[in-house]
Amino acid sequence: MGISERKEREKQEMRDLILVESTRMFIEEGYEKTSIRNIADRIEYSPATIYLYYKDKDAILYDIHEQGFEKLSEKLSGMAKIQNPYERLLQMGHLYLQFAFENPEYYDLMFIMRAPMKKLNEEKEWSCGFDNYYFLQDVVKECINAGYLKPIDSELASFSIWSFMHGMVSLAIRERFKMYSEEQVKQLMHDSVRMIVGMMAK
């Protein structure tokens, strides 16, 4: 390995360390209470080191936010192999729930916490979020064109499905389903996927 390659690897390792520890601190202590100095203390480097990689904690959170969407995109891309678009849509719903159950912290950062959107307003682009949403919209259009769903507006249908799913997940992550056991919540949510899609079916 050459000097330039080694330096690049070291930079990536430092960036990864900052992101991992920042994620833990945002979750454990809260975004507002976490500072660049706190993060620097956690990784045992000076704040100046972190500023070589990120100008502020919003930029750090934005990268964590992007990582979450990349993870979700990787999972969704595997759905493309399902030939039947209606079944693909259902499985996407189940996968969305699975992702949220397995990555509640990422989900919170991706869809609930406001802070990443401050940085997004500066970036003027949200390709990771749009790509996931357009993937859903394309499958909904395919279902409508193939006659699996009623001839409804695909944008309205996509918006309704995602909003419904997000609402359930947000309530679950914020522990608002105290009237049910954890297993009951998961079962009800997966059953609800079939219900919301079935309501749009012919």
Side-chain angles (χ1 to χ4, degrees):
M1 181 182 293
I3 294 175
S4 60
E5 292 175 326
R6 184 170 64 252
K7 285 184 177 180
E8 190 59 38
R9 187 186 67 180
E10 289 171 353
K11 286 181 181 179
Q12 187 58 51
E13 288 174 350
M14 176 56 73
R15 189 181 296 275
D16 291 342
L17 177 62
I18 292 170
L19 292 177
V20 168
E21 294 304 326
S22 297
T23 301
R24 288 176 182 163
M25 294 187 74
F26 290 152
I27 293 164
E28 294 170 3
E29 302 176 23
Y31 178 76
E32 297 303 330
K33 293 182 179 179
T34 302
S35 67
I36 293 292
R37 181 170 293 281
N38 297 149
I39 297 169
D41 289 342
R42 176 73 72 95
I43 66 174
E44 300 182 342
Y45 280 87
S46 70
T49 299
I50 294 180
Y51 285 121
L52 292 174
Y53 296 86
Y54 296 99
K55 73 172 187 177
D56 54 31
K57 65 177 183 178
D58 281 353
I60 295 175
L61 186 56
Y62 180 80
D63 267 9
I64 297 170
H65 172 263
E66 293 280 294
Q67 282 186 343
F69 274 102
E70 287 173 6
K71 287 178 179 290
L72 180 57
S73 291
E74 288 174 9
K75 290 183 176 293
L76 285 175
S77 64
M79 297 290 100
K81 64 184 179 184
I82 300 176
Q83 295 298 315
N84 184 302
Y86 186 79
E87 187 59 31
R88 193 186 319 140
L89 182 60
L90 289 174
Q91 291 305 315
M92 284 170 60
H94 296 309
L95 183 146
Y96 189 89
L97 294 181
Q98 181 184 358
F99 176 83
F101 291 143
E102 293 177 352
N103 305 277
E105 294 87 2
Y106 262 126
Y107 193 91
D108 198 300
L109 295 173
M110 291 162 62
F111 292 112
I112 299 175
M113 192 177 288
R114 285 186 179 180
M117 308 314 286
K118 295 178 184 177
K119 175 66 176 176
L120 178 60
N121 289 336
E122 297 176 13
E123 297 291 330
K124 306 299 183 184
E125 185 178 348
W126 194 33
S127 58
C128 62
F130 291 157
D131 288 347
N132 282 281
Y133 186 68
Y134 293 149
F135 187 87
L136 166 64
Q137 203 169 49
D138 287 344
V139 176
V140 169
K141 287 178 183 176
E142 194 175 343
C143 285
I144 294 171
N145 293 336
Y148 290 105
L149 298 183
K150 298 170 185 176
I152 52 180
D153 182 82
S154 62
E155 188 168 349
L156 175 60
S158 302
F159 178 86
S160 299
I161 291 171
W162 178 57
S163 298
F164 180 85
M165 297 294 294
H166 172 67
M168 287 198 302
V169 170
S170 299
L171 287 168
I173 286 178
R174 293 304 176 92
E175 300 180 354
R176 296 301 192 270
F177 288 130
K178 290 297 186 183
M179 65 288 290
Y180 301 110
S181 69
E182 184 176 340
E183 287 307 311
Q184 284 178 312
V185 169
K186 289 183 179 181
Q187 186 60 56
L188 284 167
M189 290 174 73
H190 280 290
D191 289 346
S192 294
V193 172
R194 290 194 173 275
M195 183 194 74
I196 185 65
V197 176
M199 289 172 65
M200 298 181 184
K202 278 191 173 181

